[in-house]
Amino acid sequence: MAQKIILHIGSPKCGSTYLQRVMVQNSEALLRQGIHYPAPAGSHPGNAAHLAEISQAEIDAMFPEGVHTVVLSHEDLYSLSKRGIALAEITKKAGIVVQLLVFLRPFSDFVFGDYSQFMKQFFDTFLAERKPYGGRDFETFAKRRIDTMKPAAYLTNWSKLFPELPIILDSHRNIKSVLDTVLGQPQDMVWDVPHHETNPSLRMQDCDIIAASMLDPACADDDIKQMFLNAFHHTQEPDMGRNPERVAWLEEQFRPHNEALLAQFGFDNRAPVPRDTDA
């Protein structure tokens, strides 16, 4: 059987941690079926953080006897196609086929998740400086993300590196079905991952409250720290911060991005704009 690499490149906040956790927990069962998910180097479940420096020897080691498919994954690759140049050169010479795999979610949803991720990642700095999000409000934060994102260009650049197979682009909600198909429907897969291990987003309403509290001199640090810890217990509850006005505004800002994806890749990433039931 021909050797193949399935390269999952993201996007961030689109189920990447879930996909990687599935691969890690099923790695032994998959290896028995000729599918290898090389062990991640650190605590992050993704195993392709250092793809830019990959060598022929490393690729050879990924294909021990009996292995026909290797899966590599890291969400940070999404916008960084240059990190795939070494892999493209080596696999072309070796005759190894590379299948690119990308999952997206509506960009309004992505920004909400990104806002949460910044709060989780930089909470201590925000609190120490009493300057959440570097002093930016939500709209300013979102606009900066909108202006720097070029999803259609990212995918075009990756596709040029690996033109043998068309890129597989799908919704983050279809990770299980897509992955099952590209892996050849392997047996004995365990698809359930504990929710807390999938890097769930904090609710927007909790991020808003925490940010406002940081700006209030009367609010003690210990109280804000407790708010932050409590927010992790409410990630699956309804979120008033994801209101129709915010969704509609974000979707309008991302309209050119969605039009480009639809025109170039035939993928509709638009979100239905919710209606205010009280209107």
Side-chain angles (χ1 to χ4, degrees), residues 1-17:
M1 184 178 292
Q3 293 179 331
K4 182 177 184 179
I5 293 176
I6 297 171
L7 177 59
H8 167 241
I9 60 173
S11 161
K13 303 308 298 177
C14 294
S16 299
T17 303

Side-chain angles (χ1 to χ4, degrees), residues 70-232:
V70 168
V71 181
L72 301 176
S73 171
H74 206 288
E75 60 274 19
D76 288 350
L77 296 172
Y78 171 61
S79 62
L80 302 171
S81 60
K82 289 184 179 179
R83 294 188 181 182
I85 292 175
L87 180 66
E89 293 175 347
I90 294 169
T91 53
K92 184 176 181 179
K93 292 179 182 178
I96 300 172
V97 176
V98 177
Q99 174 67 72
L100 292 170
L101 192 58
V102 180
F103 295 100
L104 296 179
R105 69 195 312 157
F107 292 120
S108 53
D109 202 20
F110 168 84
V111 171
F112 292 142
D114 206 31
Y115 194 69
S116 158
Q117 191 65 26
F118 268 65
M119 179 59 77
K120 291 195 291 184
Q121 189 171 348
F122 302 110
F123 173 80
D124 291 335
T125 300
F126 291 169
L127 181 60
E129 297 177 354
R130 288 290 181 137
K131 198 174 182 181
Y133 300 100
R136 299 188 295 271
D137 60 15
F138 173 73
E139 287 74 17
T140 305
F141 171 90
K143 197 68 171 66
R144 182 176 181 181
R145 303 300 284 167
I146 293 161
D147 291 343
T148 57
M149 285 179 62
K150 299 177 177 62
Y154 301 155
L155 302 189
T156 297
N157 291 337
W158 275 104
S159 296
K160 288 178 179 178
L161 285 178
F162 303 101
E164 296 87 358
L165 295 174
I167 192 168
I168 294 177
L169 172 60
D170 212 322
S171 166
H172 73 295
R173 298 186 182 279
N174 297 330
I175 287 177
K176 178 179 176 180
S177 60
V178 171
L179 191 60
D180 191 42
T181 298
V182 298
L183 293 179
Q185 298 179 326
Q187 298 178 350
D188 304 319
M189 288 287 286
V190 177
W191 293 99
D192 292 334
V193 176
H195 181 68
H196 69 275
E197 293 184 4
T198 62
N199 191 24
S201 294
L202 302 179
R203 296 185 302 175
M204 284 293 300
Q205 67 185 69
D206 291 322
C207 292
D208 289 340
I209 292 170
I210 293 167
S213 299
M214 288 179 177
L215 295 173
D216 182 358
C219 196
D221 284 6
D222 287 344
D223 291 338
I224 298 173
K225 290 177 182 178
Q226 192 59 52
M227 291 178 196
F228 181 62
L229 294 175
N230 290 343
F232 286 87

Side-chain angles (χ1 to χ4, degrees), residues 203-205 208 237-246:
R203 296 185 302 175
M204 284 293 300
Q205 67 185 69
D208 289 340
E237 297 177 9
D239 184 1
M240 293 185 295
R242 299 191 181 209
N243 56 57
E245 293 78 18
R246 275 180 167 172

